[in-house]
Amino acid sequence: MYTRMNQRNLTSSQRTRFVEAVVELKRAGRYDKYVRLHAEYFAADGESGLRMAHMAPTFFPWHRQFLLVFERELQTIDPGVTIPYWDWTTDNKASSALWASDFMGGNGRRSDGQVMTGPFAYEAGGWPINYGVTSEKYLTRNIGRPDRPITLPTKAELNGALAIATYDVSPWNSAPSTQGFRNKIEGWTVSETKGGYLHNRVHQWVGGHMIGAASPNDPVFWLHHAFIDLIWVRWQRRHPASAYLPSRPLAAKDPEHGRVVSAQEPMPPFNVKPAAMKDHRRFYSYEEE
Ligand code: CU1
Ligand code: CU1
């Protein structure tokens, strides 16, 4: 049992240890499989087959397991390291210490989006992009999306989503009309021109590699998703009578049959069911608890 901290409360040594463990995973050739795996399980509504990481109820439990596997591998390098979370309702500016040179590094430069400062800058030598949806070898960001400016989600927006008592609703996808908690947080309920809602808008706000299926190329991915995971925890506390849906496999005649996983079916590539992931305290706790 270990604790995930708010990134703003990490000591300077904790910041360094997290970064060093991540860079060591990359150096050892053990990082990029997470980028590939995330891309592989990023099936959209328009594609065929099972949807797992996104546009599906498994959005929360699949990412919980994904982070857990990554975190355990980080701990083989430094047993004291855990994934910090980034509360983007509070640390919502490009000037936040999150983006300092001893941690995530700064924004991409204007000409090509290349991140020039910090441990993940290409010039620093420790962070080549080996598997991307574009051909750049360097990490890119475009904070705030200056050509069509967007801001990070507010506390009021987050609270609005947390008030929804139903976990997810049919058709369990990215339909803008879908008003369940999962899609409200994941963010397909607001158009892309507005940056999407909560989770999606954070990916859009960071920009560069954080947009799209290969988003774990930017290590801030883990901090963003640790907060998404904490949001699920907050929602469970607020709605103790609510649970993961769908609770049972969908009927064969349901158009979503074979496309979404119910509470007691395994989530590939992991051999775990959503129901087994509901209590994070089996694995870790959050600093705010
Ligand atoms: Cu994801
Ligand atoms: Cu994400």
Side-chain angles (χ1 to χ4, degrees):
M1 184 73 162
Y2 50 83
T3 303
R4 289 183 181 169
M5 305 274 292
N6 186 324
Q7 60 82 25
R8 63 154 49 206
N9 297 331
L10 294 180
T11 64
S12 153
S13 131
Q14 286 171 318
R15 288 158 74 91
T16 304
R17 283 173 68 178
F18 176 76
V19 164
E20 282 179 351
V22 171
V23 170
E24 173 55 21
L25 262 197
K26 179 74 133 182
R27 194 205 57 76
R30 296 159 67 190
Y31 187 90
D32 293 321
K33 64 176 181 283
Y34 293 99
V35 181
R36 274 199 306 277
L37 193 148
H38 187 268
E40 203 178 316
Y41 286 88
F42 198 105
D45 292 354
E47 302 170 45
S48 60
L50 199 59
R51 293 191 308 277
M52 189 46 59
H54 299 274
M55 303 184 186
T58 34
F59 173 69
F60 286 104
W62 190 92
H63 281 90
R64 174 166 289 172
Q65 176 67 9
F66 185 55
L67 263 66
L68 205 48
V69 172
F70 174 74
E71 190 168 50
R72 284 170 177 161
E73 192 158 6
L74 272 187
Q75 290 169 345
T76 67
I77 288 164
D78 184 343
V81 164
T82 64
I83 304 174
Y85 63 89
W86 167 30
D87 179 348
W88 25 253
T89 66
T90 305
D91 292 303
N92 56 6
K93 301 211 166 57
S95 55
S96 156
L98 171 67
W99 307 106
S101 292
D102 69 335
F103 203 34
M104 293 295 114
N107 196 5
R109 66 180 172 189
R110 217 171 213 290
S111 56
D112 58 2
Q114 183 173 172
V115 170
M116 301 302 289
T117 56
F120 307 110
Y122 189 71
E123 303 289 310
W127 205 255
I129 302 298
N130 301 314
Y131 182 91
V133 288
T134 52
S135 59
E136 290 110 13
K137 293 297 286 175
Y138 48 84
L139 178 66
T140 58
R141 290 180 185 141
N142 185 32
I143 292 180
R145 206 174 71 177
D147 53 323
R148 283 179 297 157
I150 47 171
T151 53
L152 286 166
T154 64
K155 277 193 169 57
E157 287 174 303
L158 176 55
N159 285 335
L162 282 168
I164 301 171
T166 305
Y167 178 79
D168 206 348
V169 297
S170 175
W172 322 105
N173 58 16
S174 69
S177 60
T178 301
Q179 287 303 305
F181 163 71
R182 188 274 311 167
N183 197 26
K184 198 76 174 172
I185 294 289
E186 193 180 350
W188 307 104
T189 56
V190 171
S191 77
E192 200 280 321
T193 53
K194 290 181 178 157
Y197 209 58
L198 301 165
H199 156 267
N200 283 347
R201 202 191 311 158
V202 177
H203 281 275
Q204 295 287 334
W205 185 85
V206 177
H209 278 101
M210 268 291 269
I211 299 174
S215 49
N217 272 316
D218 191 333
V220 83
F221 170 92
W222 306 105
L223 284 70
H224 171 35
H225 270 275
F227 188 53
I228 293 294
D229 190 73
L230 174 57
I231 289 170
W232 188 22
V233 171
R234 289 183 185 169
W235 177 83
Q236 287 173 317
R237 298 235 163 88
R238 188 142 160 200
H239 305 283
S242 299
Y244 180 91
L245 292 171
S247 54
R248 301 209 184 289
L250 301 182
K253 63 175 193 313
D254 191 310
E256 291 294 305
H257 175 82
R259 306 216 55 198
V260 303
V261 155
S262 66
Q264 301 292 347
E265 297 173 282
M267 300 185 289
F270 314 114
N271 190 25
V272 295
K273 304 161 180 177
M277 298 311 295
K278 73 174 181 203
D279 185 7
H280 70 291
R281 285 162 304 184
R282 291 171 54 211
F283 314 111
Y284 52 82
S285 59
Y286 282 100
E287 184 197 11
E288 75 160 32
E289 299 181 75

